[in-house]
Amino acid sequence: MQQARISPTMPTTFNTLPPELQGLIVSEALEVSPEQDSMRTSKLPLYEKNVALKLASVSSAFLDHVVVACHSKRNNFLDTFLQLLEICPRKQQDMVCKYSQQNGSDYLASMHTLEKALPRTSPLFKWLHCGHCDMVESHEKAMVVWVAEMKLLCKETSIVEDLVKRLDMTSIIGSGTVNYLFVLMASVESNHPLENFYTCTVLPNMRAARYYGKEDIRIVDDVPRPSLGAGQVRVEPAFVGICGTDLHEFLGGPNFSPTSPHPVTKEQVPITIGHEFSGTIKELGSGLENSGLKVGQKLAVQPTIYCGKCGACSAGAENACLNGGFIGLSGWGGGISEEVVVAAEACLPLPDNVDLDIGALVEPLAVGWHAVDASPIAELKEPKCVVFGGGPIGLATIQCLRARGAKLVICVEVAKRRQEFAKDFGADYVIDPTKEDVVSKALELAGGYIPPDLAFDCAGVPQSLETACKVVRSRGTVVNVAIWEKSIPFNPNWLVFREANYKGVLGYQKKDFQGVIDAIGAGKIKPAGMITGKIQMDRIVNDGYWALIKEKDKHVKILVDLKAGISDPANIVSS
């Protein structure tokens, strides 16, 4: 069948869709221009547009003209209508002209009369019937009627699934078509594979924090609500933590956030932010009846994005996926929004005794848990450990070491307030490297004969790496937890002369999230003191990012409270 010519901004997958859906997308993509607002009361421009495009959808030969004519005549739908009419089958031309003459310039009446003259089984009748509803009823009701007819053209499940999974609807045509498709796929018959794929309502846009680039975060109110697919969960975020990666992106990015389509999410800046978050289940997609998840359930979200195809994923190391990323950094929405849709496997329920603000701490704690789990701590009878860095990840590692039975935990930290935090969260001793020799002091604290077994570098500075390699015993282990911004000098002899091991770790896996949640529920980890501030969504830049940047030694974790509302409506913009 003939395919439509598309503009360069539309993805090539548009060409793979059936002509009926192509015409539908184009028709929803077009909106009445501001210049025509004064004509809205008559509703004629809207009606002429709808009729013209619906006529076009009847015949695939119209599709080129739909795209070309409507783009070239964007502000004159009457001309577009007439141009499309010129290529109608002669019989349809005659009918339109006949009834137009009878009703003068009243195209609305003309189409009503034309509709009555057509057989009810005619596709043209169906399109006109929906256009009729569009004029005399609300737009939302018209969409429902339109869907009832359109679903006859969408019997193949793959057609609609392809539309949802492969097209970036928001970048092509805005929220109008997305909302229409919600209704379309919710209207399918009972037991259809797409049943419950979407709710049967026209969803309004939502508010979210969006990252646009260096020092550019905006709270916008026109983000399309995410669609809900089979095996997915709609989550209403409650609390969202701001982490070091967020700060790096804010000050010098985009670095981690994609500036070209991400290989998995296909999204790029601007993106919704927030990857350390908790929330409650708002809706379940189909296929989750026996998942153990239920509406209203509290949960923490594991934001890992992975391709499932690369060597790392094949080896069970999806946290090191070559094409990976994170919800809230790489696309697929983020926690600082009214809603986010995630895979069911990313949802980890919280025990009844764990509050939602604590749930937002599971993600950073999982980084520490993964690092500890990667070490040989389980093989040691009385593990003696040194943690370099008293920031959020260092403090998380200290708590996880305590939960995993470490006998001795030493923290190396310069900042006085962070030294206090380290003690609060379980460090037996804190060494200030500007005042004491770390290697000799750690040996003394470990008993004076055998140095510590394990060292965890959460600081990520040249001095911490060298000292970590020198502080451990022979055949001890150094675990690198930090992410390095640039290369640094490294002498392998620091490890060679001890036959020490050097282990790199990255992020976390699902078992680490579950381990943290179980430990919190059992009281083995008590992280509430990590929360040093809670802010409203629109205060994220001034009271969140800048507070952590300018007063980093004062804070551990600032949470955005999604239930706290907005401090000033003037802070909300449209994208």
Side-chain angles (χ1 to χ4, degrees):
M1 301 181 74
Q2 181 179 0
Q3 299 292 335
R5 291 195 298 268
I6 62 176
S7 70
T9 59
M10 291 187 181
T12 56
T13 49
F14 184 90
N15 282 325
T16 68
L17 299 175
E20 293 86 355
L21 285 182
Q22 290 185 0
L24 177 66
I25 291 172
V26 174
S27 68
E28 279 294 299
L30 297 170
E31 298 176 354
V32 177
S33 65
E35 295 80 15
Q36 292 180 305
D37 279 349
S38 61
M39 304 176 69
R40 283 182 184 272
T41 54
S42 68
K43 299 184 179 179
L44 292 181
L46 276 172
Y47 186 75
E48 291 158 5
K49 176 196 69 170
N50 288 341
V51 170
L53 291 173
K54 291 169 186 176
L55 283 171
S57 299
V58 174
S59 169
S60 62
F62 285 21
L63 290 173
D64 280 329
H65 297 273
V66 171
V67 177
V68 175
C70 289
H71 277 283
S72 63
K73 299 286 187 179
R74 188 173 180 85
N75 292 328
N76 193 331
F77 290 111
L78 178 58
D79 285 354
T80 302
F81 176 78
L82 295 176
Q83 186 175 349
L84 290 172
L85 184 60
E86 290 175 3
I87 62 168
C88 283
R90 183 55 185 261
K91 183 178 179 181
Q92 292 180 5
Q93 283 189 27
D94 290 345
M95 294 179 73
V96 172
C97 291
K98 175 183 176 181
Y99 292 113
S100 294
Q101 291 171 356
Q102 288 182 0
N103 292 281
S105 60
D106 189 345
Y107 283 95
L108 182 60
S110 299
M111 295 303 105
H112 287 179
T113 311
L114 174 60
E115 178 185 325
K116 294 177 182 178
L118 290 169
R120 295 185 65 84
T121 57
S122 165
L124 178 57
F125 169 83
K126 292 178 179 179
W127 287 123
L128 291 174
H129 178 65
C130 295
H132 178 191
C133 292
D134 195 21
M135 293 303 98
V136 299
E137 303 289 351
S138 69
H139 181 61
E140 290 78 7
K141 183 173 182 180
M143 289 173 70
V144 174
V145 178
W146 196 347
V147 164
E149 306 294 348
M150 189 60 199
K151 68 181 180 182
L152 299 176
L153 302 174
C154 298
K155 294 180 180 179
E156 291 293 330
T157 302
S158 59
I159 293 175
V160 186
E161 288 182 338
D162 180 71
L163 200 63
V164 173
K165 293 179 179 178
R166 297 172 61 192
L167 285 182
D168 182 0
M169 304 301 295
T170 57
S171 67
I172 307 171
I173 51 184
S175 61
T177 300
V178 180
N179 291 341
Y180 166 73
L181 289 170
F182 291 168
V183 183
L184 168 63
M185 284 179 282
S187 71
V188 295
E189 295 86 347
S190 178
N191 299 320
H192 188 281
L194 290 176
E195 184 181 13
N196 297 325
F197 210 65
Y198 291 108
T199 56
C200 209
T201 57
V202 179
L203 300 177
N205 291 335
M206 68 175 183
R207 182 178 296 158
R210 304 271 282 175
Y211 173 76
Y212 284 78
K214 181 180 179 181
E215 296 185 20
D216 188 0
I217 292 176
R218 309 173 199 173
I219 309 300
V220 299
D221 60 1
D222 56 358
V223 177
R225 291 182 185 270
S227 58
L228 180 69
Q232 293 183 318
V233 178
R234 189 183 302 278
V235 176
E236 183 177 14
F239 291 93
V240 186
I242 303 171
C243 88
T245 303
D246 295 320
L247 301 182
H248 285 300
E249 291 295 289
F250 180 72
L251 289 175
N255 296 313
F256 198 90
S257 301
T259 55
S260 59
H262 187 274
V264 179
T265 70
K266 310 303 180 186
E267 296 184 33
Q268 65 189 75
V269 172
I271 57 173
T272 301
I273 57 176
H275 63 278
E276 301 180 357
F277 64 101
S278 64
T280 56
I281 295 177
K282 192 172 183 180
E283 183 182 2
L284 296 174
S286 62
L288 298 178
E289 295 79 10
N290 299 317
S291 65
L293 300 174
K294 57 185 179 180
V295 173
Q297 196 170 30
K298 298 183 298 181
L299 52 78
V301 174
Q302 181 190 347
T304 309
I305 292 173
Y306 57 94
C307 69
K309 300 176 182 179
C310 68
C313 290
S314 299
E318 72 282 352
N319 55 311
C321 173
L322 302 179
N323 302 306
F326 295 88
I327 296 169
L329 282 171
S330 312
W332 286 352
I336 308 181
S337 64
E338 294 180 42
E339 292 180 358
V340 60
V341 166
V342 301
E345 64 181 14
C347 298
L348 291 95
L350 298 173
D352 292 339
N353 64 335
V354 178
D355 293 332
L356 284 166
D357 55 350
I358 303 301
L361 302 176
V362 171
E363 196 270 0
L365 286 165
V367 175
W369 191 276
H370 183 72
V372 173
D373 199 52
S375 76
I377 190 169
E379 304 167 9
L380 303 172
K381 291 183 179 181
E382 296 182 333
K384 299 174 183 178
C385 314
V386 182
V387 177
F388 289 81
I393 300 303
L395 297 177
T397 303
I398 290 171
Q399 294 177 79
C400 292
L401 284 169
R402 280 303 183 200
R404 299 295 293 272
K407 180 182 180 181
L408 174 68
V409 178
I410 302 167
C411 179
V412 180
E413 173 57 55
V414 175
K416 184 168 182 56
R417 185 67 184 98
R418 289 190 170 187
Q419 292 175 0
E420 295 171 355
F421 281 130
K423 291 180 180 178
D424 291 341
F425 289 113
D428 296 293
Y429 301 95
V430 176
I431 300 174
D432 183 342
T434 64
K435 297 179 179 180
E436 295 182 278
D437 179 77
V438 174
V439 174
S440 60
K441 185 63 176 179
L443 175 61
E444 176 189 333
L445 294 172
Y449 181 61
I450 300 177
D453 305 290
L454 308 173
F456 296 83
D457 185 3
C458 305
V461 295
Q463 296 85 349
S464 65
L465 172 61
E466 179 177 355
T467 308
C469 292
K470 293 179 177 179
V471 80
V472 295
R473 63 172 172 81
S474 295
R475 297 184 179 176
T477 299
V478 177
V479 180
N480 180 81
V481 190
I483 299 296
W484 298 81
E485 295 182 351
K486 57 185 178 180
S487 59
I488 62 169
F490 174 71
N491 186 345
N493 287 339
W494 298 337
L495 298 170
V496 170
F497 292 158
R498 293 170 177 76
E499 280 198 353
N501 303 294
Y502 188 84
K503 175 77 173 181
V505 296
L506 178 64
Y508 38 68
Q509 295 181 292
K510 186 172 184 177
K511 62 184 178 66
D512 303 310
F513 259 68
Q514 193 60 59
V516 168
I517 291 173
D518 291 344
I520 295 175
K524 295 180 179 180
I525 295 179
K526 299 178 181 180
M530 295 179 71
I531 303 172
T532 52
K534 293 180 180 179
I535 60 175
Q536 294 169 291
M537 181 194 289
D538 62 320
R539 302 301 303 171
I540 184 173
V541 173
N542 291 335
D543 297 345
Y545 281 68
W546 285 121
L548 290 168
I549 292 166
K550 295 179 179 180
E551 302 176 305
K552 65 178 183 179
D553 295 338
K554 176 182 176 182
H555 290 286
V556 178
K557 190 62 63 176
I558 293 178
L559 302 184
V560 179
D561 183 352
L562 274 299
K563 301 296 185 182
I566 297 297
S567 66
D568 185 353
N571 294 330
I572 312 302
V573 300
S574 296
S575 56

